[in-house]
PDB file of all heavy atoms in Angstrom:
ATOM      1  N   GLN A1350      25.437-108.468 -57.250  1.00  0.00           N
ATOM      2  CA  GLN A1350      24.988-107.087 -57.364  1.00  0.00           C
ATOM      3  C   GLN A1350      26.048-106.148 -56.822  1.00  0.00           C
ATOM      4  O   GLN A1350      26.564-106.331 -55.724  1.00  0.00           O
ATOM      5  CB  GLN A1350      23.674-106.898 -56.603  1.00  0.00           C
ATOM      6  CG  GLN A1350      23.077-105.511 -56.799  1.00  0.00           C
ATOM      7  CD  GLN A1350      21.734-105.378 -56.111  1.00  0.00           C
ATOM      8  OE1 GLN A1350      21.292-106.292 -55.429  1.00  0.00           O
ATOM      9  NE2 GLN A1350      21.085-104.247 -56.290  1.00  0.00           N
ATOM     10  N   PRO A1379      46.029 -95.820 -27.466  1.00  0.00           N
ATOM     11  CA  PRO A1379      44.565 -95.742 -27.375  1.00  0.00           C
ATOM     12  C   PRO A1379      44.073 -94.870 -26.229  1.00  0.00           C
ATOM     13  O   PRO A1379      43.063 -94.179 -26.366  1.00  0.00           O
ATOM     14  CB  PRO A1379      44.157 -97.209 -27.171  1.00  0.00           C
ATOM     15  CG  PRO A1379      45.286 -97.995 -27.751  1.00  0.00           C
ATOM     16  CD  PRO A1379      46.513 -97.205 -27.434  1.00  0.00           C
ATOM     17  N   GLY A1392      38.640 -85.543 -40.716  1.00  0.00           N
ATOM     18  CA  GLY A1392      37.938 -84.436 -41.367  1.00  0.00           C
ATOM     19  C   GLY A1392      36.436 -84.540 -41.309  1.00  0.00           C
ATOM     20  O   GLY A1392      35.735 -84.107 -42.234  1.00  0.00           O
ATOM     21  N   ILE A1393      35.916 -85.116 -40.227  1.00  0.00           N
ATOM     22  CA  ILE A1393      34.471 -85.249 -40.067  1.00  0.00           C
ATOM     23  C   ILE A1393      34.062 -84.713 -38.702  1.00  0.00           C
ATOM     24  O   ILE A1393      34.908 -84.457 -37.845  1.00  0.00           O
ATOM     25  CB  ILE A1393      34.019 -86.726 -40.186  1.00  0.00           C
ATOM     26  CG1 ILE A1393      34.712 -87.559 -39.094  1.00  0.00           C
ATOM     27  CG2 ILE A1393      34.315 -87.275 -41.579  1.00  0.00           C
ATOM     28  CD1 ILE A1393      34.203 -88.987 -38.992  1.00  0.00           C
ATOM     29  N   ARG A1400      27.922 -91.859 -36.010  1.00  0.00           N
ATOM     30  CA  ARG A1400      26.951 -92.445 -36.918  1.00  0.00           C
ATOM     31  C   ARG A1400      27.502 -93.743 -37.518  1.00  0.00           C
ATOM     32  O   ARG A1400      26.749 -94.642 -37.879  1.00  0.00           O
ATOM     33  CB  ARG A1400      26.605 -91.453 -38.033  1.00  0.00           C
ATOM     34  CG  ARG A1400      25.356 -91.859 -38.820  1.00  0.00           C
ATOM     35  CD  ARG A1400      24.742 -90.707 -39.579  1.00  0.00           C
ATOM     36  NE  ARG A1400      25.602 -90.239 -40.657  1.00  0.00           N
ATOM     37  CZ  ARG A1400      25.973 -88.979 -40.829  1.00  0.00           C
ATOM     38  NH1 ARG A1400      25.574 -88.048 -39.977  1.00  0.00           N
ATOM     39  NH2 ARG A1400      26.733 -88.626 -41.841  1.00  0.00           N
ATOM     40  N   PHE A1402      30.408 -95.497 -35.962  1.00  0.00           N
ATOM     41  CA  PHE A1402      31.032 -96.367 -34.965  1.00  0.00           C
ATOM     42  C   PHE A1402      30.523 -96.067 -33.558  1.00  0.00           C
ATOM     43  O   PHE A1402      30.318 -94.909 -33.198  1.00  0.00           O
ATOM     44  CB  PHE A1402      32.563 -96.203 -34.983  1.00  0.00           C
ATOM     45  CG  PHE A1402      33.174 -96.508 -36.328  1.00  0.00           C
ATOM     46  CD1 PHE A1402      33.643 -95.487 -37.141  1.00  0.00           C
ATOM     47  CD2 PHE A1402      33.268 -97.820 -36.780  1.00  0.00           C
ATOM     48  CE1 PHE A1402      34.198 -95.762 -38.381  1.00  0.00           C
ATOM     49  CE2 PHE A1402      33.820 -98.103 -38.014  1.00  0.00           C
ATOM     50  CZ  PHE A1402      34.287 -97.075 -38.822  1.00  0.00           C
ATOM     51  N   ASP A1407      36.137 -99.391 -32.069  1.00  0.00           N
ATOM     52  CA  ASP A1407      35.423 -99.988 -33.201  1.00  0.00           C
ATOM     53  C   ASP A1407      35.860 -99.377 -34.528  1.00  0.00           C
ATOM     54  O   ASP A1407      35.706-100.002 -35.583  1.00  0.00           O
ATOM     55  CB  ASP A1407      33.912 -99.796 -33.049  1.00  0.00           C
ATOM     56  CG  ASP A1407      33.309-100.685 -31.978  1.00  0.00           C
ATOM     57  OD1 ASP A1407      33.931-101.712 -31.654  1.00  0.00           O
ATOM     58  OD2 ASP A1407      32.227-100.361 -31.471  1.00  0.00           O
ATOM     59  N   ALA A1410      38.023-101.430 -36.996  1.00  0.00           N
ATOM     60  CA  ALA A1410      37.523-102.698 -37.531  1.00  0.00           C
ATOM     61  C   ALA A1410      37.554-102.762 -39.060  1.00  0.00           C
ATOM     62  O   ALA A1410      37.951-103.785 -39.626  1.00  0.00           O
ATOM     63  CB  ALA A1410      36.114-102.973 -37.002  1.00  0.00           C
ATOM     64  N   LEU A1412      39.623-101.456 -41.162  1.00  0.00           N
ATOM     65  CA  LEU A1412      40.999-101.671 -41.604  1.00  0.00           C
ATOM     66  C   LEU A1412      41.424-103.113 -41.367  1.00  0.00           C
ATOM     67  O   LEU A1412      42.008-103.762 -42.246  1.00  0.00           O
ATOM     68  CB  LEU A1412      41.948-100.720 -40.861  1.00  0.00           C
ATOM     69  CG  LEU A1412      43.446-100.917 -41.125  1.00  0.00           C
ATOM     70  CD1 LEU A1412      43.768-100.688 -42.589  1.00  0.00           C
ATOM     71  CD2 LEU A1412      44.263 -99.978 -40.240  1.00  0.00           C
ATOM     72  N   ILE A1421      40.141-114.021 -47.908  1.00  0.00           N
ATOM     73  CA  ILE A1421      39.030-114.926 -48.184  1.00  0.00           C
ATOM     74  C   ILE A1421      38.623-114.848 -49.656  1.00  0.00           C
ATOM     75  O   ILE A1421      38.308-115.862 -50.288  1.00  0.00           O
ATOM     76  CB  ILE A1421      37.839-114.615 -47.259  1.00  0.00           C
ATOM     77  CG1 ILE A1421      38.227-114.938 -45.800  1.00  0.00           C
ATOM     78  CG2 ILE A1421      36.608-115.416 -47.659  1.00  0.00           C
ATOM     79  CD1 ILE A1421      37.178-114.569 -44.778  1.00  0.00           C
ATOM     80  N   ALA A1426      38.707-117.599 -54.959  1.00  0.00           N
ATOM     81  CA  ALA A1426      39.022-117.583 -56.380  1.00  0.00           C
ATOM     82  C   ALA A1426      40.090-118.601 -56.768  1.00  0.00           C
ATOM     83  O   ALA A1426      40.397-118.751 -57.956  1.00  0.00           O
ATOM     84  CB  ALA A1426      39.485-116.183 -56.788  1.00  0.00           C
ATOM     85  N   ALA A1429      39.961-124.906 -58.302  1.00  0.00           N
ATOM     86  CA  ALA A1429      39.373-126.016 -57.560  1.00  0.00           C
ATOM     87  C   ALA A1429      40.340-127.172 -57.402  1.00  0.00           C
ATOM     88  O   ALA A1429      40.277-127.920 -56.424  1.00  0.00           O
ATOM     89  CB  ALA A1429      38.098-126.489 -58.260  1.00  0.00           C
ATOM     90  N   THR A1446      50.486-109.192 -50.098  1.00  0.00           N
ATOM     91  CA  THR A1446      51.390-108.532 -51.037  1.00  0.00           C
ATOM     92  C   THR A1446      50.735-107.262 -51.557  1.00  0.00           C
ATOM     93  O   THR A1446      49.569-107.294 -51.961  1.00  0.00           O
ATOM     94  CB  THR A1446      51.713-109.464 -52.227  1.00  0.00           C
ATOM     95  OG1 THR A1446      52.343-110.645 -51.718  1.00  0.00           O
ATOM     96  CG2 THR A1446      52.657-108.776 -53.210  1.00  0.00           C
ATOM     97  N   GLY A1461      51.305-101.336 -36.319  1.00  0.00           N
ATOM     98  CA  GLY A1461      51.220-100.346 -35.254  1.00  0.00           C
ATOM     99  C   GLY A1461      50.081-100.639 -34.301  1.00  0.00           C
ATOM    100  O   GLY A1461      50.232-100.520 -33.076  1.00  0.00           O
ATOM    101  N   PRO A1470      42.697-103.554 -23.851  1.00  0.00           N
ATOM    102  CA  PRO A1470      41.748-104.674 -23.952  1.00  0.00           C
ATOM    103  C   PRO A1470      40.600-104.438 -24.930  1.00  0.00           C
ATOM    104  O   PRO A1470      40.195-105.356 -25.641  1.00  0.00           O
ATOM    105  CB  PRO A1470      41.222-104.818 -22.516  1.00  0.00           C
ATOM    106  CG  PRO A1470      42.266-104.195 -21.657  1.00  0.00           C
ATOM    107  CD  PRO A1470      42.866-103.098 -22.469  1.00  0.00           C
ATOM    108  N   LEU A1473      41.954-104.908 -28.372  1.00  0.00           N
ATOM    109  CA  LEU A1473      42.219-106.331 -28.592  1.00  0.00           C
ATOM    110  C   LEU A1473      40.919-107.086 -28.858  1.00  0.00           C
ATOM    111  O   LEU A1473      40.885-108.016 -29.675  1.00  0.00           O
ATOM    112  CB  LEU A1473      42.931-106.922 -27.365  1.00  0.00           C
ATOM    113  CG  LEU A1473      43.428-108.363 -27.473  1.00  0.00           C
ATOM    114  CD1 LEU A1473      44.458-108.497 -28.590  1.00  0.00           C
ATOM    115  CD2 LEU A1473      44.038-108.804 -26.141  1.00  0.00           C
ATOM    116  N   TRP A1476      40.044-106.853 -32.478  1.00  0.00           N
ATOM    117  CA  TRP A1476      40.886-107.761 -33.267  1.00  0.00           C
ATOM    118  C   TRP A1476      40.351-109.190 -33.220  1.00  0.00           C
ATOM    119  O   TRP A1476      40.223-109.855 -34.244  1.00  0.00           O
ATOM    120  CB  TRP A1476      42.301-107.691 -32.730  1.00  0.00           C
ATOM    121  CG  TRP A1476      43.312-108.650 -33.280  1.00  0.00           C
ATOM    122  CD1 TRP A1476      43.981-109.615 -32.586  1.00  0.00           C
ATOM    123  CD2 TRP A1476      43.829-108.723 -34.619  1.00  0.00           C
ATOM    124  NE1 TRP A1476      44.875-110.278 -33.400  1.00  0.00           N
ATOM    125  CE2 TRP A1476      44.801-109.756 -34.654  1.00  0.00           C
ATOM    126  CE3 TRP A1476      43.555-108.019 -35.798  1.00  0.00           C
ATOM    127  CZ2 TRP A1476      45.492-110.102 -35.814  1.00  0.00           C
ATOM    128  CZ3 TRP A1476      44.252-108.355 -36.954  1.00  0.00           C
ATOM    129  CH2 TRP A1476      45.201-109.381 -36.947  1.00  0.00           C
ATOM    130  N   MET A1513      46.802-117.459 -39.551  1.00  0.00           N
ATOM    131  CA  MET A1513      46.969-116.094 -40.046  1.00  0.00           C
ATOM    132  C   MET A1513      47.079-115.093 -38.896  1.00  0.00           C
ATOM    133  O   MET A1513      47.890-114.164 -38.940  1.00  0.00           O
ATOM    134  CB  MET A1513      45.794-115.734 -40.956  1.00  0.00           C
ATOM    135  CG  MET A1513      45.865-116.382 -42.314  1.00  0.00           C
ATOM    136  SD  MET A1513      47.222-115.738 -43.338  1.00  0.00           S
ATOM    137  CE  MET A1513      46.484-114.221 -43.946  1.00  0.00           C
ATOM    138  N   THR A1519      52.938-112.287 -34.696  1.00  0.00           N
ATOM    139  CA  THR A1519      54.370-112.556 -34.574  1.00  0.00           C
ATOM    140  C   THR A1519      55.174-111.587 -35.434  1.00  0.00           C
ATOM    141  O   THR A1519      56.190-111.039 -34.996  1.00  0.00           O
ATOM    142  CB  THR A1519      54.687-114.007 -34.984  1.00  0.00           C
ATOM    143  OG1 THR A1519      53.922-114.897 -34.171  1.00  0.00           O
ATOM    144  CG2 THR A1519      56.165-114.325 -34.819  1.00  0.00           C
ATOM    145  N   ALA A1528      57.510-107.591 -46.439  1.00  0.00           N
ATOM    146  CA  ALA A1528      57.609-108.708 -47.378  1.00  0.00           C
ATOM    147  C   ALA A1528      57.675-110.052 -46.665  1.00  0.00           C
ATOM    148  O   ALA A1528      57.335-111.085 -47.250  1.00  0.00           O
ATOM    149  CB  ALA A1528      58.832-108.535 -48.274  1.00  0.00           C
ATOM    150  N   CYS A1537      53.071-120.708 -40.924  1.00  0.00           N
ATOM    151  CA  CYS A1537      52.054-120.989 -39.907  1.00  0.00           C
ATOM    152  C   CYS A1537      50.917-121.825 -40.493  1.00  0.00           C
ATOM    153  O   CYS A1537      50.404-122.740 -39.836  1.00  0.00           O
ATOM    154  CB  CYS A1537      51.507-119.686 -39.334  1.00  0.00           C
ATOM    155  SG  CYS A1537      52.680-118.799 -38.280  1.00  0.00           S
TER     156      CYS A1537
END
Side-chain angles (χ1 to χ4, degrees):
Q1350 186 176 4
I1393 60 172
R1400 194 161 67 233
F1402 302 106
D1407 287 338
L1412 175 62
I1421 294 175
T1446 300
L1473 187 61
W1476 173 243
M1513 285 292 280
T1519 303
C1537 289

